[in-house]
Amino acid sequence: MSITINKNYYYINSKELSLIIEEREGDLLLRHLGRKITNYHGSNAINERDHAFSGQLNPDVRTYSYDTQRQVLGLHGLGDFRQPSLKIQHGVSDVTRFEFLKAEVVKGISLESKLPYPHSLEKAETLIFTLVDKVADLELKLYYTVVEDNNTIVTYSEVINNSNQAVVIHRALSAMADVPTRDYDVVTLQGAYAREKTVRRQRVEQGIFKVASNRGASGHAQTPALILCDHEASEGAGEALAFQLMYSGNFQTFVQKSQINEVRVAIGIEDENFTWELASNESFETPVALITYSHQGLTGVSQESQAFVTDYIIPKQFAHEERPILLNNWEATYFDFEKEKLLELAEDAKQVGVELFVLDDGWFGNRFDDNRALGDWFVNEEKLGGPLQDLIEKVHAKGLKFGLWFEPEMISVDSDLYRTHPDWAIQVPNYGHTYSRNQLVLNLANPDVVTYLKDVLDKILTDNAIDYVKWDYNRNMTNIGNGANYLESQMQSHQYMLGLYDLVEFLTSKHENILFESCSGGGGRNDLGMMRYFPQVWASDNTDAIARLPIQYGSSYLYPTISMGAHVSAVPNHQMERTTPLETRGDVAMMGNLGYELDLTSLTQEEKDIIAGQIAHYKDIRPVVQFGQQYRLINPEAGSNEAAVQFNYENKVLATYVRVLSTVETVETTLKLKNLDQDANYMLQGTDQVYSGAELMYAGITVVLPQGDFLSKQFYFVKVD
Ligand code: DGJ
């Protein structure tokens, strides 16, 4: 049993994780969140001192204050001076006191949500707490779902308005936990456009450390997640808890260390652009949050999260399927192509072994540059030399799959769609527009817009034999104010997300064999909300192999490799102007879902032969990379001159080493491989050298590279008898 109840104690257990909550006189107190405890006696210390300046609700018990207790719910206005997790305005105030009413355990996940939530949870168990605020006549339900094969708790909450008047939610976070007081570090994935998922690790100090997005998307510069780990935690040892949000819009996550060193962690919707009017008899659900635990350090928590995302979030039909090696025409042609060029590219792609040809931006309407035509989703037959289906048939005839780019959520002012429906753009009356890439965002909070997009996109996907869709999103939201009044406009950002999820749920379930890849100028919306519908993400517009090392490294903290597109592009690289050997570009892209994004027709035969060799090799190692357990061996972040990653899958092991700059004195590195069978023998492919597992783990392999910048080497071992 995953969930057990013993009197007023609630035990939420998975493989190696326990969350223990005590119900005490109506309050829910967090007694433990960490490594599994099956024989808990409730002796865990409760804060029983009279702390000055903390509010007490009972004058006879001066030792009990919301400010000093560890909780799973942060109420506003009743003496807890830390950040609240909930703030609801009713009548004249925004004070609420939710008290325990009942708890029940149900099978599966008790959710019929319009927001994304994990699938395949039939065998899971869910604990539902119901709390009530008798003054405001509000109900609050807290949900905790666990599976037995992963150390992840799925949690969210629901506010139900039983009163006969509307209330206004100002904050409703998805998960909160006052974790045991310790010396913690907080790890977040930050960065910028073309520098996504940079790992930031810092000590948790008194005060608030918050990462948030108010962009209407999770954004390039932050990921809706944080990892709280022991200050001493390393890759392989120490405790770590990851908090993640399955949501692609505005979010916040924070860790707050109070005046008495209590540590609160929370995650949910960012409230700068959010309030929610909840009518009488209606309910509001928060997005789903995940809490993942490991006592085996950062690698442990990464592997747990990667496994959960693969098994329960990525659409089932793609989660365990090898991903096609693609050629994308964007950096090969940008907008400058016509049918013949595309077919030449496709022919060369076929020759080198590519499996999927992707036609990127520029195939529709009057889209000859990025200033126009977004919204005009009709094929430019002049440019494509005929109907889209003719082109697709020619590509299919070569034995390649066919993929197409869309940016459905956008509208250009210079478009037929805007000329017909200027009011469909997100805008504030009388303030003009704020442009970004000369485009505006469609108001997906408006059901008419969602219906229009469903129809137009469904028609293209139905009329044409499309195998893959790249779904782009190239600006963030501004000028939010389409509501009839202020409150309605404050609801718009979240309503947009509900409209977006409705749209993608409709399209991906109707066209369930199409592989969707999400993109937002690269990784501007690389989050679990999108991953629930789109099994792949274009991790960055930065295709420079060296710049990509930290991006891929950061992604691996939470997301499985199989979710990450990685392309070999031309040199000098279009973003960095750097020249990197083709071998190294291949080795780096082979640490993700390999693809190519360059003009194959302009390469020499020798270069094409190298690419053909890479593709043939990748077809061999593909299951190792896409399904294997990943180990980060060397951190490529700022200041590092090297990177190394290992994948273990069945009887195969792949380690890739990259050196950035050449140094005279030190050109040798020892890689100690992880988690091998120490008594088994492993043969280095391409040689007849055999190593024992113990040798590879404890003595390591010495990487010897000649002088020269940007070099790399792959070590591919297969276990032998
Ligand atoms: C931004 C994407 O990240 C690129 O890969 C490409 O698809 C362009 N948009 C097309 O406009």
Side-chain angles (χ1 to χ4, degrees), residues 212-269:
S213 169
N214 58 2
R215 294 171 170 271
S218 45
H220 299 86
Q222 57 281 314
T223 300
L226 69 72
I227 299 173
L228 192 71
C229 64
D230 292 342
H231 176 60
E232 294 79 22
S234 62
E235 278 289 354
E239 292 194 280
L241 278 165
F243 290 76
Q244 304 187 65
L245 198 65
M246 278 187 82
Y247 191 63
S248 318
N250 297 329
F251 77 91
Q252 60 176 310
T253 182
F254 61 81
V255 48
Q256 178 174 24
K257 194 170 196 174
S258 76
Q259 55 186 347
I260 56 167
N261 288 339
E262 289 288 355
V263 177
R264 172 166 289 182
V265 197
I267 193 162
I269 294 179

Side-chain angles (χ1 to χ4, degrees), residues 11 26 30 38 54 88 111 114 120 150 169 227 241 249 281 291 311 328 344 381 385 423 468 554 587 589 623 677:
Y11 305 86
L30 187 148
T38 46
S54 291
I88 304 174
L111 192 61
K114 293 182 184 132
S120 304
N150 190 286
I169 301 173
I227 299 173
L241 278 165
N281 293 320
I291 305 174
D311 292 340
N328 179 305
E344 276 170 33
E381 295 196 0
D423 55 314
Y468 160 108
D587 284 349
D677 177 351

Side-chain angles (χ1 to χ4, degrees), residues 330 360-361 405 437 470 472 474 519 521-522 538 541:
W330 178 243
D360 210 280
D361 197 353
W405 180 97
R437 213 192 189 201
K470 179 175 172 186
D472 212 340
N474 283 306
C519 172
W538 176 226
D541 268 1

Side-chain angles (χ1 to χ4, degrees), residues 323-578:
R323 302 297 168 77
I325 301 163
L326 64 81
L327 177 89
N328 179 305
N329 77 312
W330 178 243
E331 287 195 15
T333 65
Y334 296 102
F335 292 102
D336 184 16
F337 60 82
E338 74 305 317
K339 186 183 185 180
E340 285 63 40
K341 179 69 186 176
L342 296 177
L343 290 174
E344 276 170 33
L345 274 172
E347 179 55 32
D348 277 14
K350 176 66 193 165
Q351 293 306 323
V352 293
V354 162
E355 298 159 328
L356 162 67
F357 177 77
V358 180
L359 173 53
D360 210 280
D361 197 353
W363 56 268
F364 54 94
N366 187 25
R367 183 80 170 166
F368 288 96
D369 59 35
D370 61 8
N371 290 315
R372 64 202 84 250
L374 289 170
D376 293 347
W377 299 111
F378 49 86
V379 178
N380 186 330
E381 295 196 0
E382 209 177 308
K383 199 168 176 186
L384 292 196
L388 177 61
Q389 184 55 24
D390 282 3
L391 177 70
I392 296 177
E393 276 164 21
K394 292 206 164 56
V395 171
H396 279 169
K398 294 181 193 296
L400 292 168
K401 293 183 171 185
F402 181 85
L404 197 61
W405 180 97
F406 293 89
E407 194 176 357
E409 297 158 75
M410 299 293 159
I411 182 166
S412 305
V413 171
D414 181 2
S415 69
D416 289 350
L417 187 67
Y418 187 86
R419 284 182 278 274
T420 320
H421 294 290
D423 55 314
W424 280 9
I426 293 182
Q427 58 198 296
V428 181
N430 307 320
Y431 275 85
H433 292 308
T434 304
Y435 298 90
S436 182
R437 213 192 189 201
N438 249 332
Q439 63 195 54
L440 309 176
V441 187
L442 279 169
N443 179 20
L444 269 65
N446 176 352
D448 293 345
V449 176
V450 175
T451 304
Y452 166 78
L453 288 174
K454 278 183 183 171
D455 291 347
V456 76
L457 296 173
D458 178 39
K459 183 158 173 37
I460 299 175
L461 299 181
T462 304
D463 292 351
N464 300 282
I466 292 168
D467 306 293
Y468 160 108
V469 164
K470 179 175 172 186
W471 184 294
D472 212 340
Y473 174 92
N474 283 306
R475 66 158 290 172
N476 290 137
M477 286 180 209
T478 59
N479 304 55
I480 297 162
N482 295 63
N485 54 48
Y486 178 68
L487 257 182
E488 266 187 38
S489 294
Q490 283 288 295
M491 293 167 78
Q492 194 177 339
S493 305
H494 183 58
Q495 274 168 339
Y496 179 100
M497 299 316 299
L498 295 172
L500 172 64
Y501 292 134
D502 179 23
L503 173 63
V504 296
E505 162 68 30
F506 168 80
L507 291 171
T508 54
S509 50
K510 183 142 186 228
H511 301 278
E512 61 177 12
N513 294 325
I514 296 181
L515 173 64
F516 282 76
E517 177 154 347
S518 91
C519 172
S520 169
R525 209 165 51 180
N526 185 357
D527 57 57
L528 297 183
M530 296 317 286
M531 229 179 272
R532 176 64 186 83
Y533 306 97
F534 299 164
Q536 260 177 230
V537 183
W538 176 226
S540 182
D541 268 1
N542 195 335
T543 59
D544 176 85
I546 302 303
R548 203 119 181 150
L549 291 170
I551 296 169
Q552 300 188 170
Y553 174 84
S555 293
S556 77
Y557 266 64
L558 297 167
Y559 302 156
T561 308
I562 196 167
S563 69
M564 184 178 68
H567 300 174
V568 171
S569 62
V571 287
N573 174 265
H574 293 189
Q575 295 78 37
M576 305 290 288
E577 307 263 319
R578 178 162 32 202

Side-chain angles (χ1 to χ4, degrees), residues 141-155:
K141 287 180 187 281
L142 305 180
Y143 297 81
Y144 296 93
T145 302
V146 265
V147 284
E148 275 175 354
D149 65 350
N150 190 286
N151 295 324
T152 294
I153 295 171
V154 178
T155 183

